[in-house]
Every structure is written in C-alpha cells, then in structure tokens.
Amino acid sequence: MTSGLRIAALCTLLVCASAVVAYTVLLLSVSVSPCAYSMSRTLLAVTGLDSYIVSCADEASTVELLSSDGGRAKTTATGGPIVTDLLLCGKPNLPPNAFPVNLQCCPPMPASEPVNFKLPDPSEPLRTRRPAHVAGAEYMAKYERAIALMKALPRSDPRSFYQQANIHCAYCTGAYRQVGHPELAVQVHYSWLFFPFHRAYVYFFERIAGKLLGDPGFALPFWSWDVPEGMRMPMAFVNSSSPLYDPLRNTRHAPPKLVDLDFMGAEKNYTDEQQIIHNLRIMYKQMISSAPLASLFLGQPFRAGDSDKPGPGSVEMYPHNTLHVWSGDISRPNTEDMGDNYSAGRDPLFYAHHANVDRIWEAWRHINNNTFHVDFKDPDWLNSSFLFYDEEARLVRITVHDILDIEKLRYAYHGVSLPWLNARPPTTPNVNVKKGNTSPRFIRFPVSLNVAQTIEVRRPHMLRNKPKKRIQGEVLVVEHIVSDGTNIVKFDVFVNAREYEKVKPSGREMAGSFVCLKHNDMDGSLIGKGLNSTMRIALDEILEDLGANEDDSVIVTLVPRHGNVRIGGIKIDYIIGE
Ligand code: C2O
C-alpha cells in the first residue's frame, strides 16, 4: 500500500470505528509541556504506534463519545460475565518463596454438578455481625470455637479451614482460567468483582461456621478499622493460644498500636490522636471524594475476554490493601499471611477484615448525600458467578445478582457510627500551585516511576461547559500502570501541590494512592508483567477545595513509594450520564 492509500484506509477505519462504538471514555488529550506528538490517540491506536504516548491533539479534533457509569470503555469485542468453572482450575502462580512450595489451591472436585444458589429462607434468624471491639468475650469465643472446628476438619473437607483459606488463593493467583478464554485468568481483585466476590466468600464462611457450631444465628465479628475505637487489631486475635492467632503477623502491630490506613512498610511517628485524624480523613477521601460513582468505588468492568486487573476501586487500594500489608509479617519475603493474596485467607483476621470491607460497601450505598451511590446495572457484572461449597458441602454457583441484598441473605451489621463522614481533609498551607508558579518538565510516556514526576494535565473545557447535569464526574486517569508483580506497588498522586513533601497522606492535595499487592504473572500473554492496570481518581471535590475549579489544567505529581512501576500516560476524562 502506498502511504496515501494507507492513510485513506485508516481514515475510513476511523470513521467506522467512531460510528459503531456505542460508548467509550472520551478521547481527550493531555497537555504535557511541550507536546510529545501531535497525532491523536485514536490514530495512534489504529496505526499500532505506541498508544502509551500521550497525545496533544487539539480539542476540536477529539471525538466525544459518552459513557454512563460503566467505567472505562469496552476494550474487547467479546464481553459477557466472568464465569468460574472448577474444571478450569489449575496451577496457581505463586510468588517466589511461597510455602508450601507445591501448594495447589483448587477446591476438591464435587461428586455432582454445582447447584444454583438459592436465597435462605426468610424465616431464618438474621445474623447480626458485631464489631470485634465491642462484641464481648462470649461472642468472640464463638468465633474462636468455629475456627477451631474448621481447623479440626480433615483437609479434604471443602469446609475445613485449610480449604477455606485456599479459596482466596485460587481466585487470585490465576489458578482459575476464564471460561471460553483459558489463556486469561479469573481474578477477583482490581476490578468490579472485588466487593461481590468477597461478600459471597464471607457469606459461605459464616454459614459453615454456624453449621459447625450448631448455631444458625452465628454471625462473624467485623474489624471496624474505620472508627477510632476499632482502630487496633482486635484483642481476641492476639492471644497466642487462641485459634484466632496467627504467628505470621507484624508483631509491632499488636495492640495498643493503632492501624495506619496509609501504611507501606514505614512506621509513622504519630501520636494516637494524630493517627486517628489521619485515618478518618483517609476514610473520607476513599468513601466520598474518590468514590462518587460505582466504577470509582466498586472498580472497573472486567468481562469475559478481558485481561484481569483493569482497575481497582478506591477502598480496595486503601485502606483494604494497606491493611493487608499492615497485618502481615513484614520480615517475610511475601508479608505472609495477610500481606499476600495467596496466603491471606490463612489468618482468621482476614474474615473479620472482609466483614468490615463488606460493611463499608453497605455504608457507601447509604451515604445519602450522593444520588450516584448505586451499584452497576450492567448484566455482565450481575451475571458474573463464583463457586463455593456451602455448609452442607454442596458446590454452589452464586452470581453477583444473588448477593446484592444482605437482608435477603439474612445478615445485617450492628450499627457503628461513621465518624469519617465529617472528616473532609483540609488543604495544606502554602503548597498550592498558582498559575505560572511551576514549570513541569517535559515527560515522554511511558515513564518509569523511579523519582517523583510532575505533569501538567489539561482539562477539556469544551465539556466542562456542557450542562452540568450530564457530567457525573471528572476523573484523572493514570493509565497502563505496569509492573512485573514481584513487589508490592505503591505510588501517591498529588494535585496542585508545589511541595508535595509538605502534604500529609491525609492532606487535601494528596488525591490518592495506587496500592497493589504482589502479582506474579497471571496471564500467559503477559510474561514478566504481573500488573497492567489503571487508576482513576475523582477530581471534583479536590478541585473545589483547592479553588481550582476554573483552571484550564491540573498539576499532577506522581511519587513512588514502593516497588517499581511504569506509567503509560495520564489524562482527564469525564464520566457522562445518560
Ligand atoms: Cu481478596 Cu482482602 O483480599
């Protein structure tokens, strides 16, 4: 083909593509100064040139394609729900030094086909989960007994503690492959599967415990790390002769040490009072500022045929991930047990942690000042399904749709106040970048994040001026976050902070952190690349608080904190309602 013909063909392709794509994120340009390339992102994608390169196409040439809150655009022609199949469970990808070395974490094969989940009888007693710090000795003793009974079952029993712990391993190490796409992994983290999978997991775990105890009303304790009184490891887990004890924990974090929701290895020298304020502000950010919409709170769509880990929701990254790392034994290469996905289920603390994560999902839905706090309606999400053994040791297929109403699942949460609702972070004095005050360096993406990088990202005012109603949120998108998965990754994202060092992790200018546990290669096609994900941070509230609503651009600083990571690009998108 002559180059003229090639361009003509490309343009035809482009026109067709824009016509048929039903929705996508906006193809908006980013301003890095000076422009790296003048080709539009679409053209780069079609030409096969490095699409990581941030383009500087002018706004007039960008294509406006709308998305309701389905998160990112569909990237594959396939789609459909993620479905798990026991026959597609195989060898896990474990990190080096995992133990036992030959760990296989698939569940035992059932005697017959899985049955479809049925809701419990509405006359069953409501299991009211109580916060571990106030549940009382008797309540905690029941959990202790349940764990002892589970540990006493033979390892071949799918209800044994051993098998229960392995469930987590199988769903997060690439042991399960996707039905119809065996080259791709099923992964329940870093996507919209995170909350529903863990809800179902904890649901069956609790019912098995109740069955073993002969107590149909048995409810799990939850570790309410989001309220000041719950910000310590619950005492019941600390007694070394208890079945709730796990020797593979960070010994420095035994009570009375307060949790640090931003933890990444280094201890902060905060007083308890400071730590509490810091934690509450982090909760506010992750639950309110950064989670105005389902895709930002629950995580990005993950459909059949997609590579796993498209992008986590706010709370999954932290405090969920950071608390895993905070709890695990930091002197071990993989921060076992809690600090790595393959081993996390071995610590009885895991189930109390996840009961709280589940409660947080309920809390998010009920924060009533935001009408957008509603779950996805996407059939690919609702029909995604997982397999669990129930209390009768029957293999059950449960869909996301099945687990959306906890009352129908016959459990509830004992009320805990939500003190973080009022903990809107303050701005940091004297760090706000004012126009002309800063000259971000020229950055060519992809960039290895070895040192802090500051980038000016242009806001597409063309859309900002549209009637407010249709715009549901403005998001900063950090794309193609790539690492080999051999280390825990954390980097922080600051907005309009001239001296980010002065900003506390709970300060307003700290827009969010990307936090990812280790992930060995999940996906045969990504050898040596354990992670290829995206981070999205809602900007609306931050820009409002920083008085930057009318600015044309946002100054973003990415600061590496742990692990090696490469960043493909940065842009600003709008999420548009229907
Ligand atoms: Cu499946 Cu707390 O992680």
Side-chain angles (χ1 to χ4, degrees):
M1 244 197 286
T2 68
S3 62
L5 269 177
R6 205 175 292 136
I7 289 172
L10 271 175
C11 292
T12 319
L13 240 176
L14 260 179
V15 172
C16 293
S18 6
V20 297
V21 175
Y23 69 100
T24 182
V25 288
L26 300 162
L27 300 164
L28 296 170
S29 56
V30 168
S31 110
V32 286
S33 216
C35 287
Y37 286 85
S38 59
M39 249 173 162
S40 80
R41 185 174 287 274
T42 318
L43 203 52
L44 287 165
V46 175
T47 53
L49 291 176
D50 191 351
S51 58
Y52 294 172
I53 293 169
V54 171
S55 86
C56 292
D58 62 327
E59 284 172 12
S61 73
T62 60
V63 188
E64 183 184 345
L65 292 164
L66 308 180
S67 139
S68 63
D69 190 30
R72 78 196 162 126
K74 252 188 196 177
T75 52
T76 58
T78 48
I82 297 280
V83 170
T84 31
D85 183 338
L86 229 49
L87 296 175
L88 290 177
C89 191
K91 214 170 142 332
N93 289 305
L94 300 176
N97 302 307
F99 57 88
V101 243
N102 54 357
L103 176 68
Q104 295 295 331
C105 48
C106 296
M109 284 310 276
S112 53
E113 287 288 296
V115 296
N116 288 331
F117 177 75
K118 279 224 285 306
L119 286 169
D121 195 294
S123 65
E124 270 192 20
L126 193 68
R127 303 160 184 267
T128 302
R129 297 179 182 169
R130 299 177 60 87
H133 67 274
V134 291
E138 202 184 314
Y139 187 97
M140 293 307 291
K142 258 195 202 172
Y143 184 48
E144 223 173 71
R145 262 201 323 281
I147 296 290
L149 290 166
M150 279 184 171
K151 286 185 173 171
L153 288 174
R155 282 186 165 199
S156 56
D157 190 318
R159 300 164 303 177
S160 64
F161 191 75
Y162 176 79
Q163 293 289 348
Q164 289 295 307
N166 274 350
I167 292 173
H168 199 253
C169 167
Y171 274 100
C172 68
T173 58
Y176 278 114
R177 315 306 295 178
Q178 293 180 24
V179 173
H181 305 274
E183 72 286 3
L184 295 170
V186 171
Q187 166 63 256
V188 293
H189 302 94
Y190 311 97
S191 80
W192 67 7
L193 296 185
F194 173 73
F195 282 98
F197 166 81
H198 290 87
R199 169 168 293 176
Y201 184 11
V202 167
Y203 171 81
F204 287 107
F205 184 88
E206 179 176 76
R207 292 182 69 93
I208 291 168
K211 173 84 183 177
L212 296 175
L213 291 167
D215 178 356
F218 170 78
L220 284 168
F222 60 89
W223 176 19
S224 51
W225 32 252
D226 57 307
V227 299
E229 317 78 59
M231 287 182 186
R232 296 186 167 88
M233 189 177 293
M235 278 313 283
F237 292 85
V238 185
N239 166 2
S240 63
S241 57
S242 163
L244 303 184
Y245 181 73
D246 182 347
L248 299 184
R249 289 194 191 132
N250 189 330
T251 46
R252 296 182 67 175
H253 291 165
K257 181 81 179 174
L258 287 171
V259 295
D260 173 10
L261 302 188
D262 174 64
F263 183 76
M264 196 39 66
E267 304 294 337
K268 300 190 178 76
N269 290 321
Y270 289 164
T271 63
D272 282 4
E273 223 172 28
Q274 289 168 330
Q275 185 70 64
I276 287 170
I277 292 174
H278 165 82
N279 286 342
L280 291 176
R281 287 178 184 160
I282 285 179
M283 282 307 298
Y284 178 93
K285 281 193 207 182
Q286 300 305 84
M287 294 296 286
I288 316 258
S289 318
S290 301
L293 295 166
S295 66
L296 300 173
F297 178 74
L298 296 169
Q300 293 296 310
F302 176 36
R303 308 171 198 277
D306 288 351
S307 272
D308 62 289
K309 304 190 285 291
S314 56
V315 165
E316 181 184 355
M317 281 188 285
Y318 72 111
H320 164 262
N321 275 347
T322 47
L323 280 170
H324 271 280
V325 180
W326 184 87
S327 304
D329 181 351
I330 206 153
S331 70
R332 300 202 63 95
N334 300 308
T335 337
E336 285 96 347
D337 280 323
M338 279 284 275
D340 199 283
N341 280 317
Y342 94 90
S343 53
R346 297 173 184 173
D347 189 334
L349 185 60
F350 174 94
Y351 306 91
H353 177 39
H354 271 280
N356 201 45
V357 169
D358 188 62
R359 175 190 144 255
I360 289 288
W361 181 11
E362 285 302 292
W364 177 79
R365 284 169 164 171
H366 293 112
I367 296 171
N368 51 18
N369 61 358
N370 195 319
T371 47
F372 296 126
H373 284 204
V374 281
D375 295 333
F376 295 106
K377 306 252 177 331
D378 191 312
D380 287 353
W381 186 62
L382 296 170
N383 295 325
S384 286
S385 67
F386 316 104
L387 293 171
F388 291 94
Y389 280 95
D390 70 3
E391 65 275 17
E392 309 295 345
R394 275 179 315 214
L395 189 64
V396 177
R397 178 172 300 285
I398 189 167
T399 65
V400 170
H401 185 256
D402 289 330
I403 50 96
L404 295 179
D405 184 339
I406 65 170
E407 200 192 319
K408 290 198 176 132
L409 295 172
R410 302 304 296 147
Y411 74 88
Y413 287 100
H414 182 268
V416 177
S417 61
L418 305 176
W420 37 264
L421 279 177
N422 304 317
R424 191 162 175 156
T427 57
T428 314
N430 305 321
V431 303
N432 203 340
V433 180
K434 278 286 158 247
K435 257 208 182 91
N437 247 348
T438 181
S439 45
R441 288 189 314 118
F442 165 70
I443 292 170
R444 178 172 295 201
F445 288 96
V447 68
S448 287
L449 201 57
N450 306 323
V451 291
Q453 301 281 358
T454 297
I455 305 140
E456 182 177 2
V457 185
R458 194 168 43 169
R459 298 170 73 204
H461 60 262
M462 170 181 86
L463 285 152
R464 260 188 289 140
N465 299 337
K466 293 244 153 145
K468 265 276 185 275
K469 197 167 120 241
R470 297 177 60 232
I471 298 180
Q472 294 184 342
E474 180 174 358
V475 284
L476 180 72
V477 186
V478 185
E479 298 181 292
H480 296 291
I481 302 166
V482 174
S483 95
D484 64 7
T486 56
N487 218 326
I488 294 170
V489 168
K490 183 176 190 280
F491 64 84
D492 295 343
V493 181
F494 294 86
V495 164
N496 288 3
R498 190 175 40 199
E499 293 165 281
Y500 69 85
E501 300 91 340
K502 288 189 183 162
V503 180
K504 296 230 163 56
S506 57
R508 183 77 281 188
E509 298 80 3
M510 219 288 260
S513 297
F514 182 85
V515 185
C516 187
L517 303 183
K518 284 187 189 183
H519 277 278
N520 273 38
D521 179 21
M522 292 291 156
D523 171 341
S525 62
L526 284 176
I527 291 166
K529 293 181 187 171
L531 174 75
N532 188 343
S533 197
T534 301
M535 177 191 197
R536 286 172 173 75
I537 305 175
L539 287 176
D540 304 77
E541 210 188 78
I542 299 174
L543 296 185
E544 187 186 322
D545 288 359
L546 295 179
N549 253 339
E550 300 306 318
D551 294 0
D552 293 333
S553 60
V554 169
I555 307 295
V556 176
T557 305
L558 304 175
V559 182
R561 300 294 188 194
H562 202 273
N564 299 318
V565 73
R566 203 179 69 201
I567 309 286
I570 296 188
K571 63 176 178 181
I572 290 177
D573 271 348
Y574 285 94
I575 297 178
I576 312 262
E578 273 147 357

